[in-house]
């Protein structure tokens, strides 16, 4: 019986982590020609993009470009002022949720005073502070 002809040079041994030359990627040709597929955009991302688009609006004879969200909110306010019950209910709910109230206003001076107290108490407890060593009991006694 005749031996089959080898198409490979004798110097290349096929085996573990050494695939046949015919099945290897060619030089200069990508192994992933289409690339990674692009992911789908989320509903939130699409909504943000759409509501952020500028729309031409004419007010008092002057054209302005406003974000779509602002146009929607302005129209909601106008509808509520015309006593449309649905618009009024929605506007009041939005105002309750996002409107500013005196209780939610932060007073910077009060926050800073509270932060100063916290930092002072923290520094009093630091082991490297010389005033603290006098207050702490010694280990050897």
């Amino acid at each position: 019986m005749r031996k089959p002809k080898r198409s490979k040079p004798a110097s290349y041994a096929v085996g573990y982590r050494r695939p046949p030359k015919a099945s290897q990627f060619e030089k200069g040709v990508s192994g992933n020609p289409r690339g990674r597929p692009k992911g789908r955009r989320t509903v939130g991302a699409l909504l943000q993009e759409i509501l952020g688009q500028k729309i031409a609006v004419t007010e008092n004879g002057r054209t302005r470009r406003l974000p779509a969200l602002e146009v929607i909110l302005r129209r909601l306010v106008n509808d509520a002022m015309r006593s449309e019950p649905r618009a009024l209910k929605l506007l009041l709910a939005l105002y309750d949720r996002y409107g500013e109230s005196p209780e939610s206003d932060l007073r910077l001076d009060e926050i800073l005073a509270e932060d100063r107290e916290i930092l002072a108490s923290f520094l009093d407890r630091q082991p490297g502070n010389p005033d603290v060593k006098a207050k702490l009991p010694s280990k050897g006694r």
Side-chain angles (χ1 to χ4, degrees):
M1 190 178 220
R2 293 175 70 190
K3 290 185 179 179
K5 291 184 180 180
R6 282 191 168 187
S7 60
K8 312 277 187 264
S11 64
Y12 184 78
V14 175
Y16 180 69
R17 296 184 65 143
R18 296 184 60 90
K21 289 284 186 187
S23 64
Q24 292 180 8
F25 292 123
E26 295 177 20
K27 289 196 184 289
V29 178
S30 172
N32 189 9
R34 289 190 200 164
R36 179 178 174 266
K38 294 184 179 184
R40 293 184 179 216
R41 295 176 52 199
T42 63
V43 173
L46 288 172
L47 189 60
Q48 282 182 341
E49 181 184 332
I50 292 168
L51 291 177
Q53 287 179 345
K54 302 279 184 167
I55 297 174
V57 177
T58 304
E59 283 183 326
N60 300 329
R62 200 178 90 187
T63 302
R64 294 173 47 189
R65 293 186 54 82
L66 299 173
L69 181 61
E70 186 174 342
V71 173
I72 291 169
L73 291 175
R74 285 177 184 266
R75 180 155 180 192
L76 179 65
V77 170
N78 289 337
D79 289 348
M81 290 183 357
R82 278 189 242 126
S83 298
E84 291 189 22
R86 284 180 145 179
L88 189 58
K89 183 178 180 180
L90 179 58
L91 183 64
L92 290 175
L94 287 172
Y95 184 75
D96 283 343
R97 184 168 184 173
Y98 299 107
E100 293 180 350
S101 64
E103 295 86 24
S104 67
D105 288 342
L106 297 176
R107 296 208 168 101
L108 188 58
D109 54 347
E110 290 177 7
I111 292 173
L112 290 176
E114 185 179 336
D115 287 342
R116 275 190 231 111
E117 291 173 13
I118 292 170
L119 286 173
S121 67
F122 176 74
L123 290 175
D124 287 342
R125 289 185 274 151
Q126 290 299 312
N129 195 342
D131 295 335
V132 177
K133 286 182 184 177
K135 297 176 188 176
L136 295 174
S138 62
K139 293 181 183 178
R141 295 181 188 165

